[in-house]
């Protein structure tokens, strides 16, 4: 559909460039064009939404964690996981739909929660132990709870596989 519309635009532009063609008017309408136009708008909105949500998340993290290093410790693995998730989704399902784009903010928010819990616990233990000891205590006491919480979230998303609505089932 995009090639058809761009081809039509090219033909119209070529005719407008001809002598006497300046007054040619073309009105695009109909179900297919409206769907195409809506999809373009959604894609732009999703890009903007992703950019704004990432910036806001980084700002909140900077405000509470007061440094770049803690943000990197949380955000790099999280962003890597989200990118890997979308890559696997693309290869398993074959495409990403518009609703998949909204998942970026949701997954970042859910993933940040785990990262903040674990990193905060590590910082608490770092006052009592050297870094390796703090990491061991943190993972021993908080790691299991974080893994359980992440597992329940994963199961909740997986349950969407059984939805009759394709957009939701692809979330799973």
């Amino acid at each position: 559909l995009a090639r058809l519309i761009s081809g039509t635009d090219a033909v119209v532009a070529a005719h407008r460039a001809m002598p006497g063609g300046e007054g040619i008017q073309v009105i695009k309408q109909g179900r297919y064009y409206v769907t195409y136009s809506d999809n373009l708008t959604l894609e732009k909105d999703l890009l903007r939404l992703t950019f704004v949500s990432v910036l806001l998340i980084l700002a909140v993290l900077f405000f509470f964690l007061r440094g770049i290093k803690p943000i990197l410790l949380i955000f790099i693995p999280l962003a890597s996981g989200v990118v890997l998730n979308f890559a696997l989704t693309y290869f398993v399902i074959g495409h990403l739909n518009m609703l998949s784009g909204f998942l970026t903010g949701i997954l970042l928010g859910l993933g940040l929660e785990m990262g903040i819990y674990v990193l905060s616990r590590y910082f608490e233990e770092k006052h009592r132990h050297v870094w390796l000891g703090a990491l061991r205590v943190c993972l021993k006491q908080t790691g299991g709870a974080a893994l359980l919480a992440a597992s329940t979230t994963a199961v909740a998303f997986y349950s969407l596989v059984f939805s009759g609505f394709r957009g939701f089932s692809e979330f799973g």
Side-chain angles (χ1 to χ4, degrees):
L1 187 57
R3 283 192 286 170
L4 176 65
I5 291 172
S6 64
T8 303
D9 289 343
V11 169
V12 170
H15 281 83
R16 284 184 180 153
M18 294 179 177
E22 303 86 23
I24 294 177
Q25 292 183 358
V26 175
I27 298 172
K28 300 173 194 169
Q29 58 186 18
R31 184 175 72 207
Y32 294 115
Y33 180 74
V34 169
T35 300
Y36 173 76
S37 177
D38 286 349
N39 283 340
L40 287 179
T41 302
L42 275 172
E43 286 177 14
K44 289 178 194 172
D45 287 347
L46 286 174
L47 283 173
R48 194 175 315 124
L49 170 72
T50 300
F51 182 73
V52 168
S53 65
V54 167
L55 281 180
L56 289 173
I57 287 169
L58 289 173
V60 168
L61 284 176
F62 188 79
F63 179 75
F64 285 106
L65 299 175
R66 295 185 178 100
I68 298 296
K69 188 175 179 181
I71 292 172
L72 294 176
L73 287 171
I74 291 175
F75 202 76
I76 288 175
L78 177 59
S80 301
V82 170
V83 168
L84 180 63
N85 178 45
F86 284 132
L88 288 173
T89 301
Y90 179 78
F91 287 118
V92 169
I93 296 176
H95 67 279
L96 296 172
N97 63 27
M98 289 297 158
L99 292 175
S100 302
F102 289 108
L103 264 182
T104 304
I106 294 169
L107 291 176
L108 287 174
L110 290 170
L112 278 175
E113 193 174 336
M114 296 301 146
I116 290 170
Y117 292 148
V118 173
L119 191 63
S120 295
R121 179 68 176 152
Y122 170 76
F123 286 154
E124 284 179 23
E125 292 301 323
K126 195 174 171 188
H127 292 292
R128 295 182 201 123
H129 307 281
V130 294
W131 73 270
L132 188 56
L135 184 61
R136 280 190 188 122
V137 172
C138 167
L139 293 178
K140 184 178 179 181
Q141 294 182 358
T142 309
L147 185 60
L148 179 61
S151 299
T152 60
T153 302
V155 168
F157 273 108
Y158 181 72
S159 70
L160 293 172
V161 166
F162 304 106
S163 171
F165 177 56
R166 194 176 101 202
F168 286 155
S169 67
E170 289 178 2
F171 278 172

